Amino acid sequence: MNAWEFWIDRGGTFTDIVALRPDGSLATAKLLSHDPAHYADAAAEGIARLRRADPAPIASVRMGTTVATNALLERKGAPTLLAITRGHADALVIGHQARPDIFALEIHRPAPLYAAVIEIDERLTASGEILRPLDEAAARAALTTHYNAGLRSLAIVLMHGWRTPAHETRLAEIAAEIGFTQITPSHLVAAVIKLVPRGETAVADAYLSPPLRTYVDAVTAAIDTKTLLFMQSNGGLAAASHFQGRDAILSGPAGGIVGMAATGKTAGFTKLIGFDMGGTSTDVSHYDGHFERADETLVAGVRIRVPMLKIDTVAAGGGSIVHFDGARLRVGPESAGAHPGPAAYRNNGPLTVTDCNVLLGKLQPEYFPALFGPTGDQPLDRDTVTQKFAALAAEMATTPEAVAEGAIRIAVETMAGAIKHISIARGHDVTGYTLACFGGAAGQHACLVADALGIPRIMVHPFAGVLSAYGIGLADVRILREATLNLPLNAAAQPGIAATLAQLTTQATTALTAQNLSFDHIETHARARIRYAGSDTPLELPLADATEMAAAFATEQQRRFGFTATTDGLIIDSLAVEAIGISRSATAVSAPLPTTPPQLLARHPVVMAGAPHATPFFARETLPSAWSQVGPAIIIDPSATTIVEPGWTVTVDSHANLILTRTTPIIPQNPSTTSDPILLEIFANRFMGIAEQMGVALQTTAWSVNIKERLDFSCALFDAGGNLIANAPHMPVHLGSMGDSVRAIRDARAPTPRGICRGDTYMLNAPYNGGTHLPDVTVITPVFTIGATPAYWVAARGHQADIGGTTPGSMPPDSRSVEEEGVLIDNVLLVDEGRLLEAETLALLSSGRYPARDPQRCLGDLQAQIAACARGAAELLTLGETFGH
């Protein structure tokens, strides 16, 4: 086909363009997203520049954009009216019971997105029975009042509208008659249970869609093509006319994951960890043959309930500031930003991670674009970097090189911790994965991050610097539809499952074909979310018959959380159907590889692994297929630098990817016994990260609202003597006494004939032994290394919804004895050498004059605490293998 295709990622700072020329070759361009002095729109300008040599027609344009994200962050969406069931006007403001920053002395809650709210006189039951008919006259009057005040965007959120949308549909018809131009009924954006996230999503869509539509219309007018597609947060494309605000939050980053998956598949890798490191932050993602999506995503304080590709972001990038606080070397989370930028940028900026690489010789000014200084044409300033590191090293009584390497290690620990959060914490063994690097700075730290995680292989695509744009070109058109079922997982539920599956499949395929695009064929995939009865945290699995899904649930539960309860009482929470329009195979396109010998640019002294090395620098575009080089080595290309650390070997595959493999085993480190500001920060981050992983496991698997939403729990690590090592930023009241509980268990158990055994876990809530009030039950696990006594302890304390007593909750005000407050648990064995004492625990919770009212729910939370302790113990053992026990 003699025509152009353009794949564009319009970011906040730069717009990346990958173009498929009419002759089948690829071209790239990078422009500032905002440069009004030179052009009106970066995408249109980039297309025009590339077409100057060949003005062939444009077959299609595919784009990712941050327009919706920026409108949300900057609160520049359309003034929106919220219409909600009477009595719930403040439901979205009240929101959840979560307290995400419990140590904050002053809480700043984000303002609601809607400008006004009206209450609609109507009410349906969960089963669809009309309790109060829709008062159409009152609704019309209220809508008209706000329309006359200038509001044109409306979000409709009615109680149980997800199941019975009749009232929402009628209200939308009335609003359209009045003249509202953007109407978002909640059942069309998220046909799932839970009023608050469904409502927040509807409001976000009504708020963001108008500015997004304005931008889409402008692009449509500026670009001469009949096929304009936009990237959605779920990893699929949508026709411009069907691109909605709710689906645009991760439009650009989603392209990077699609590109990673497609290029990894071409190279033969299907298990990938995405590592996208920029100047301010690092995005990480997980791919294991299918896209991993989050059902709810919190963006700028707004909870959006639509499937989005799961991307975790951590404040660690090339611009992360390096400083010494008098005891520990700190890296980030503050960033130098684009201005003043790192010290090497000649704007009197602070020392950053980028400056560390300049000092160590990993970044050579002669291979870096000369974009700095007052005139914007000077190279990196190595002299200033050297002077500033010398001053910092003198303050720390060490060498500049040691400070720089230490700072990089600290940044690497932060990034590795983010990857653990989306992989190891979810039960994935990363040693079988490939680290896929993209973004400007990922290649500089890839080997070190891989070593921190035990990942043996790294892949750097030739378009790694523009992989989000490249991935948009390889994406398919996708439509997702989901619905809540809430049925027991058994054969009797099969008719209901089949009916919902047929309905969702029809909805998804109809929405796909309504976009008037041509496809080679359409595929549909169905997945089910399964959970324990009483829990509301499901696991997503491929749809199958009840027996297969129950078995798959048990396997996934064991892999992810380390325990499995009985599979009786499983619930199929919801179904999701994805329709995919396949128009061509997603295959990577690349230029022919050179056949001449590679170009050695020079050898420079570079400090790696604590020692200087005469390191060869190669030009990437000159590397032929099958070329190989043992590290240390550094490979330069126009948009990135890839550093091959000692112990690693780089090879060029047939698709021009750089494949780095660990060829020399990592030697465990022996940390100094003296105070070291660098190791102190590394271990502080590691220990904190372990405690936080424990908290994630506990929150994810817990049954009670107290733990899942209010976050009324704490996780911590202790040494052999029961002294606190580290705790995550959880409930302050728990942390001061948890050590007493650990020591109470240790002192009581160690002298007994049975002693403390591997695989044991204990529980305690006694106020006499470190407990607080009785609902706060502490689960404690000893961690053994090479000896017969515990080397560490891990503990998780969670507030049970009810532990018995004369009244539900905690501490009845008229109680005169402990038993009136609930079931007293003092040094009780919960897991006996790996075996959960389920019957014994239920009997204990059901004992006494005032037993627990729902022992099974208590047991569910205790199992979640066991899972948290198991996660902490495993990570402590891994840390010991790296640094020595």
Side-chain angles (χ1 to χ4, degrees):
M1 182 175 63
N2 187 29
W4 288 85
E5 288 189 21
F6 291 96
W7 313 330
I8 304 170
D9 174 26
R10 183 188 185 276
T13 303
F14 288 103
T15 293
D16 297 335
I17 302 175
V18 177
L20 182 62
R21 293 190 180 102
D23 63 6
S25 62
L26 290 176
T28 63
K30 185 183 287 283
L31 291 84
L32 288 170
S33 294
H34 300 280
D35 193 358
H38 297 95
Y39 45 80
D41 180 76
E45 176 68 15
I47 290 174
R49 291 183 185 182
L50 288 168
R51 291 181 71 212
R52 285 171 187 166
D54 184 351
I58 303 173
S60 68
V61 175
R62 301 173 171 213
M63 291 188 66
T65 176
T66 58
V67 168
T69 308
N70 292 341
L72 185 59
L73 293 172
E74 298 168 9
R75 290 299 197 267
K76 292 183 178 179
T80 299
L81 174 65
L82 168 64
I84 195 167
T85 301
R86 180 170 299 282
H88 295 82
D90 53 0
L92 303 191
V93 173
I94 295 171
H96 291 255
Q97 296 189 54
R99 295 164 289 181
D101 191 3
I102 200 165
F103 286 93
L105 298 180
E106 183 178 3
I107 302 298
H108 297 279
R109 299 190 62 170
L113 295 183
Y114 53 85
V117 59
I118 59 174
E119 294 184 279
I120 303 299
D121 200 7
E122 68 83 39
R123 187 61 185 264
L124 299 170
T125 67
S127 61
E129 178 187 353
I130 298 177
L131 291 180
R132 185 187 298 272
L134 173 64
D135 188 335
E136 294 190 15
R140 185 181 294 272
L143 289 170
T144 301
T145 297
H146 288 282
Y147 179 85
N148 292 337
L151 298 183
R152 297 294 182 269
S153 189
L154 171 67
I156 302 172
V157 185
L158 301 183
M159 184 66 71
H160 303 305
W162 64 276
R163 171 165 282 178
T164 308
H167 286 179
E168 286 196 353
T169 300
R170 179 56 188 146
L171 200 59
E173 293 171 351
I174 295 172
E177 294 168 4
I178 292 171
F180 282 88
T181 54
Q182 172 63 43
I183 303 170
T184 304
S186 71
H187 71 274
L188 293 183
V189 300
V192 290
I193 199 169
K194 292 187 178 180
L195 177 72
V196 171
R198 175 165 54 90
E200 288 185 318
T201 305
V203 170
D205 185 74
Y207 182 79
L208 298 175
S209 289
L212 184 66
R213 178 58 44 201
T214 299
Y215 177 75
V216 169
D217 291 343
V219 172
T220 303
I223 299 175
D224 183 18
T225 181
K226 294 182 179 179
T227 305
L228 176 60
L229 305 173
F230 281 87
M231 192 68 184
Q232 302 177 101
S233 304
N234 61 26
L237 295 165
S241 59
H242 289 70
F243 191 41
Q244 302 293 326
R246 63 182 181 270
D247 297 320
I249 302 299
L250 298 179
S251 177
I257 298 181
V258 174
M260 172 188 75
T263 56
K265 180 180 179 181
T266 300
F269 309 129
T270 57
K271 302 178 73 171
L272 300 161
I273 297 293
F275 175 44
D276 180 4
M277 182 179 179
T280 302
S281 62
T282 295
D283 292 337
V284 298
S285 53
H286 170 263
Y287 180 80
D288 187 8
H290 70 276
F291 293 123
E292 190 171 77
R293 297 186 174 97
D295 293 330
E296 285 187 11
T297 304
L298 190 66
V299 182
V302 179
R303 196 175 301 273
I304 299 177
R305 179 67 168 83
V306 293
M308 298 187 193
L309 292 184
K310 189 171 179 59
I311 301 173
D312 276 24
T313 301
V314 62
S320 294
I321 295 174
V322 177
H323 67 283
F324 180 57
D325 67 2
R328 293 155 59 180
L329 182 66
R330 300 297 187 101
V331 180
E334 300 84 3
S335 173
H339 190 88
Y345 283 14
R346 298 180 182 269
N347 288 319
N348 197 31
L351 288 176
T352 67
V353 171
T354 294
D355 297 309
C356 295
N357 286 321
V358 171
L359 179 84
L360 297 173
K362 296 180 176 181
L363 294 180
Q364 293 289 330
E366 63 191 273
Y367 307 129
F368 210 86
L371 302 171
F372 312 106
T375 57
D377 59 358
Q378 293 180 267
L380 293 171
D381 185 355
R382 183 180 174 88
D383 291 338
T384 296
V385 171
T386 301
Q387 293 168 10
K388 289 194 172 188
F389 266 111
L392 183 58
E395 187 180 357
M396 295 175 59
T398 185
T399 66
E401 292 76 13
V403 175
E405 283 207 294
I408 290 175
R409 286 179 65 190
I410 292 168
V412 164
E413 289 293 334
T414 301
M415 293 182 286
I419 292 174
K420 288 180 180 180
H421 180 76
I422 55 100
S423 58
I424 295 172
R426 296 173 64 83
H428 302 293
D429 180 7
V430 294
T431 60
Y433 281 72
T434 298
L435 188 68
C437 297
F438 47 105
Q444 299 170 28
H445 308 92
C447 291
L448 301 177
V449 169
D451 281 342
L453 295 163
I455 296 177
R457 184 172 52 244
I458 299 165
M459 171 183 162
V460 185
H461 189 267
F463 289 125
V466 292
L467 196 66
S468 288
Y470 190 68
I472 290 170
L474 303 179
D476 296 310
V477 179
R478 295 172 182 261
I479 296 292
L480 281 87
R481 291 291 184 265
E482 57 183 352
T484 297
L485 280 176
N486 200 27
L487 295 173
L489 184 62
N490 53 38
Q494 198 59 45
I497 295 173
T500 302
L501 176 63
Q503 181 184 26
L504 292 177
T505 301
T506 300
Q507 291 176 0
T509 54
T510 300
L512 193 67
T513 55
Q515 300 191 39
N516 295 318
L517 300 170
S518 60
F519 305 116
D520 294 338
H521 65 281
I522 294 176
E523 297 178 356
T524 59
H525 302 281
R527 297 181 70 82
R529 298 185 181 99
I530 312 298
R531 59 179 172 83
Y532 286 121
S535 169
D536 66 356
T537 303
L539 298 179
E540 189 172 277
L541 302 166
L543 183 63
D545 65 44
T547 302
E548 289 180 39
M549 286 194 291
F553 177 86
T555 300
E556 180 69 5
Q557 174 79 11
Q558 179 66 41
R559 182 188 66 79
R560 186 175 296 189
F561 304 119
F563 74 94
T564 303
T566 174
T567 53
D568 293 338
L570 290 181
I571 299 294
I572 179 164
D573 182 83
S574 60
L575 283 183
V577 172
E578 181 176 20
I580 307 171
I582 309 294
S583 56
R584 66 181 182 188
S585 59
T587 56
V589 183
S590 58
L593 285 164
T595 57
T596 56
Q599 180 185 355
L600 175 63
L601 298 172
R603 290 183 181 270
H604 295 282
V606 178
V607 177
M608 297 188 193
H613 300 269
T615 303
F617 282 62
F618 296 93
R620 179 167 183 172
E621 66 269 18
T622 69
L623 304 180
S625 178
W627 174 83
S628 185
Q629 174 72 32
V630 176
I634 294 180
I635 299 169
I636 305 295
D637 70 37
S639 61
T641 298
T642 301
I643 298 172
V644 186
E645 297 279 345
W648 287 80
T649 298
V650 60
T651 303
V652 178
D653 72 4
S654 59
H655 303 285
N657 298 302
L658 299 180
I659 307 298
L660 285 68
T661 54
R662 169 49 91 165
T663 50
T664 302
I666 300 174
I667 301 174
Q669 304 175 44
N670 293 312
S672 170
T673 56
T674 60
S675 177
D676 184 325
I678 295 169
L679 283 176
L680 186 61
E681 179 68 3
I682 289 173
F683 277 108
N685 289 345
R686 279 286 186 104
F687 289 137
M688 175 69 77
I690 293 172
E692 289 177 342
Q693 284 189 51
M694 293 173 65
V696 170
L698 176 52
Q699 182 185 2
T700 304
T701 57
W703 287 32
S704 68
V705 171
N706 283 341
I707 294 176
K708 288 181 300 189
E709 291 187 10
R710 291 183 59 240
L711 308 182
D712 195 347
F713 64 84
S714 295
C715 299
L717 320 176
F718 302 86
D719 66 14
N723 302 302
L724 181 67
I725 296 175
N727 59 265
H730 296 151
M731 289 293 292
V733 70
H734 293 167
L735 300 169
S737 63
M738 286 177 71
D740 291 330
S741 296
V742 172
R743 287 187 290 273
I745 296 291
R746 182 202 60 178
D747 294 345
R749 293 276 176 177
T752 63
R754 180 186 181 279
I756 300 168
C757 301
R758 294 175 184 267
D760 282 358
T761 294
Y762 312 96
M763 58 179 174
L764 177 150
N765 69 355
Y768 320 105
N769 284 321
T772 49
H773 58 168
L774 294 191
D776 285 339
V777 179
T778 308
V779 171
I780 300 167
T781 299
V783 182
F784 293 82
T785 54
I786 55 176
T789 58
Y792 315 99
W793 298 80
V794 291
R797 178 172 287 178
H799 185 132
Q800 297 281 338
D802 176 73
I803 200 71
T806 56
T807 61
S810 62
M811 294 191 298
D814 58 347
S815 57
R816 293 178 173 80
S817 65
V818 166
E819 69 172 352
E820 291 178 308
E821 295 184 0
V823 177
L824 182 67
I825 305 171
D826 194 0
N827 187 9
V828 174
L829 189 62
L830 178 61
V831 179
D832 183 359
E833 297 186 67
R835 182 177 65 89
L836 175 65
L837 302 179
E838 183 172 350
E840 294 87 340
T841 302
L842 289 173
L844 173 63
L845 294 170
S846 302
S847 65
R849 292 172 57 195
Y850 308 103
R853 292 163 179 82
D854 190 352
Q856 195 66 49
R857 180 173 292 273
C858 292
L859 181 63
D861 280 342
L862 291 173
Q863 288 177 309
Q865 292 173 255
I866 294 169
C869 289
R871 171 61 57 202
E875 284 298 298
L876 275 173
L877 293 175
T878 299
L879 183 63
E881 292 170 0
T882 302
F883 289 97
H885 296 294

